[in-house]
Amino acid sequence: MSALEPRISVPAAPPSRGGVLGPAYRTLSVGIISVIFLIAFEATAVGTAMPVAARELDGVGLYAFAFSAYFTTSLFGMVLSGQWADRQGPLRPLTVGIGAFAAGLVCSGTAGIMGVFVLGRAVQGFGGGLVIVALYVVVSRAYEERLRPAIMAAFAASWVVPSIVGPLAAGSVTEHLGWRWVFLGIPALVVVPLVVALPAIRRTASGPVDPGAPAAFDRRRIRFAFGISLGAGLLQYAAQDMRWLSLVPGIAGVALLVPAVRGLMPRGTYLARRGLPSVVLLRGVAAGSFIGAESFVPLMLVTQRGLSPTLAGFSLALGGVTWALGSWVQSKGRMAPYRDRLMVIGMVLVAFAIAAAPAVLVESVPVWTLALAWAVGCLGMGLVIGSTSVLLLELSAPEEAGANSAALQISDALANVVLLAAVGAAFATLGGGAVGAGHALTEGASASHPGAFLAVFLPMSVVALAGAWVATRLHPSPVKGEGKS
């Protein structure tokens, strides 16, 4: 039976009356968009306060782990959430995830030493992994197929305001009240999505898809989830340590990652098999290449062109607007027949932006050209990320939406970890200096060798260009038997 053919009946979505903000969907849409807004504001605000927190806690040496801890535990949370949502519905993993997200922020905000701060980031990442997959399952079960592109576009749009306001607000709070209030203030926002979203989700998407299915978790997938999380952490540590002895955790990380990835991803993912495997692969290629490059943009502007950290970060603000624009374009019903072509164009735009970014290493090139180039890349990402989410739900049977959504998010997060580790190692080897997972150093860092930045941006542009080819393989082949893994 085809994955496109539901094998069981599922609760029908509410009858359509208007769009995602129509009477049938308004409360639910506002609630889940509030959750995304919370995650977006945290991502932009906390990153601004992080360097100050690391200096005050005497933990600059562990600065990178404050970022990688979030990604590695989120991988485990994603798999667990997929299992949980498929068997019991998305309500519980979403509730627990929001609670863990808030608890992690409180833990980091009250930390007296850097180790406790990193622990809070790990708890927060676990919660974030639970939340994001549960939200995809909510979209799959509560919204009609024709409305899914629009709600995905709304998710992207919810990043616009945080991407502009977040760094400025966090910088002001850090300067006048202290960095801890950035972490301790955000959990108060949890009340809004809890009050608004959860009752609506209980009405429209609660309970298992198949009440007769086994309620127990797949222990094999949980073991793989632990393996992928631990393996990613070891690989990140090895890339940052840069000693011969770091080969040991690096090899151990790869040994854990390979079987776990094979067990959690759709069969044929890393062979770019047509259909769902290529959708999952494209998500990782797009996210990994873009984030791997974007993480070095502020550092390049600070060390090579002398911008302040605030101005360097603000140079990326326009990208939040164009990302939302790209997501809005792909959400229009008349664009559905051209979705594959839009995704190819999107990846070409991403490759162009990444390749063009290091032009600012030449003193005669105005800094604002990077802001424009990055806005073009964000437009491409809006086209691609929204479309991969829509295609994943189209190609997934209802009872597989959780597991497949987890695979999509794992591909995204794992590509971020692996590609950041790779380009970070190349950057350091070529004299780039200490880099914490691609994030800018403390103030006063000396200029790095320009060639180190080329070792980041040029390989990532090649990866993005490869994604344009993967985007031609997103639908099953009409030829039977193609693409065995």
Side-chain angles (χ1 to χ4, degrees):
M1 183 176 288
S2 169
L4 293 174
E5 300 173 4
R7 286 170 284 187
I8 55 176
S9 61
V10 298
S16 175
R17 293 194 297 273
V20 295
L21 293 178
Y25 297 99
R26 185 180 298 121
T27 302
L28 177 63
S29 296
V30 170
I32 62 177
I33 290 171
S34 297
V35 176
I36 296 295
F37 183 89
L38 168 67
I39 294 173
F41 190 82
E42 179 278 334
T44 56
V46 167
T48 302
M50 198 82 75
V52 180
R55 288 198 299 270
E56 187 172 311
L57 295 173
D58 295 322
V60 174
L62 295 175
Y63 179 75
F65 292 99
F67 291 94
S68 60
Y70 184 99
F71 285 122
T72 53
T73 55
S74 70
L75 289 167
F76 182 79
M78 290 168 186
V79 179
L80 180 63
S81 183
Q83 293 266 305
W84 202 347
D86 281 343
R87 283 158 175 75
Q88 299 179 21
L91 185 62
R92 291 183 180 177
L94 182 61
T95 305
V96 173
I98 291 176
F101 191 83
L105 284 165
V106 172
C107 181
S108 293
T110 57
I113 58 174
M114 192 63 176
V116 176
F117 183 91
V118 172
L119 174 63
R121 291 289 290 166
V123 173
Q124 187 186 346
F126 174 71
L130 288 174
V131 168
I132 194 64
V133 172
L135 286 179
Y136 271 66
V137 177
V138 170
V139 171
S140 171
R141 294 176 60 178
Y143 290 85
E144 298 177 55
E145 185 173 327
R146 70 175 186 87
L147 293 177
R148 292 172 188 167
I151 194 65
M152 293 300 176
F155 283 1
S158 66
W159 279 79
V160 175
V161 173
S163 68
I164 298 173
V165 176
L168 299 178
S172 179
V173 170
T174 299
E175 182 178 348
H176 294 99
L177 298 178
W179 65 267
R180 294 182 185 277
W181 287 104
V182 175
F183 290 84
L184 297 176
I186 293 176
L189 301 176
V190 170
V191 176
V192 174
L194 279 176
V195 171
V196 176
L198 298 186
I201 293 172
R202 184 178 291 108
R203 290 194 303 269
T204 60
S206 62
V209 174
D210 182 5
F217 286 81
D218 186 336
R219 294 183 179 180
R220 180 170 175 269
R221 290 184 66 86
I222 297 300
R223 287 196 300 269
F224 281 148
F226 181 76
I228 201 171
S229 186
L230 179 59
L234 289 172
L235 194 63
Q236 185 80 351
Y237 171 81
Q240 293 163 4
D241 193 41
M242 294 300 293
R243 294 182 299 169
W244 284 109
L245 286 177
S246 66
L247 286 174
V248 176
I251 293 172
V254 172
L256 287 169
L257 276 176
V258 171
V261 167
R262 288 176 61 87
L264 293 173
M265 298 294 188
R267 187 180 181 189
T269 294
Y270 291 105
L271 297 177
R273 185 177 181 179
R274 288 187 177 274
L276 182 64
S278 284
V279 174
V280 172
L281 175 61
L282 180 62
R283 180 59 162 261
V285 169
S289 60
F290 188 80
I291 298 301
E294 185 179 60
S295 298
F296 285 83
V297 169
L299 181 61
M300 180 170 64
L301 293 176
V302 169
T303 61
Q304 304 300 301
R305 298 303 297 266
L307 270 66
S308 69
T310 300
L311 285 177
F314 196 67
S315 68
L316 304 178
L318 180 61
V321 177
T322 56
W323 190 311
L325 175 62
S327 190
W328 176 80
V329 169
Q330 67 80 32
S331 73
K332 308 308 291 180
R334 61 178 177 274
M335 302 304 294
Y338 310 103
R339 187 174 301 281
D340 290 12
R341 192 177 305 172
L342 285 176
M343 297 173 80
V344 173
I345 293 171
M347 289 309 303
V348 171
L349 294 178
V350 171
F352 164 79
I354 296 174
V360 298
L361 293 170
V362 179
E363 288 290 335
S364 60
V365 176
V367 172
W368 55 262
T369 60
L370 187 146
L372 291 180
W374 215 249
V376 170
C378 287
L379 175 66
M381 287 295 287
L383 294 172
V384 173
I385 298 300
S387 292
T388 55
S389 301
V390 172
L391 282 178
L392 177 107
L393 297 178
E394 288 181 1
L395 296 173
S396 299
E399 69 275 18
E400 297 171 347
N404 289 342
S405 295
L408 190 75
Q409 298 300 327
I410 289 169
S411 180
D412 188 320
L414 183 61
N416 286 340
V417 172
V418 172
L419 291 179
L420 272 172
V423 297
F427 182 78
T429 300
L430 293 178
V435 175
H439 292 271
L441 298 173
T442 59
E443 295 180 12
S446 58
S448 304
H449 193 282
F453 288 99
L454 293 177
V456 171
F457 290 98
L458 296 184
M460 291 300 95
S461 66
V462 173
V463 172
L465 198 58
W469 172 76
V470 177
T472 65
R473 303 178 59 80
L474 302 181
H475 288 285
S477 171
V479 181
K480 292 184 179 180
E482 182 192 345
K484 298 194 181 244
S485 58

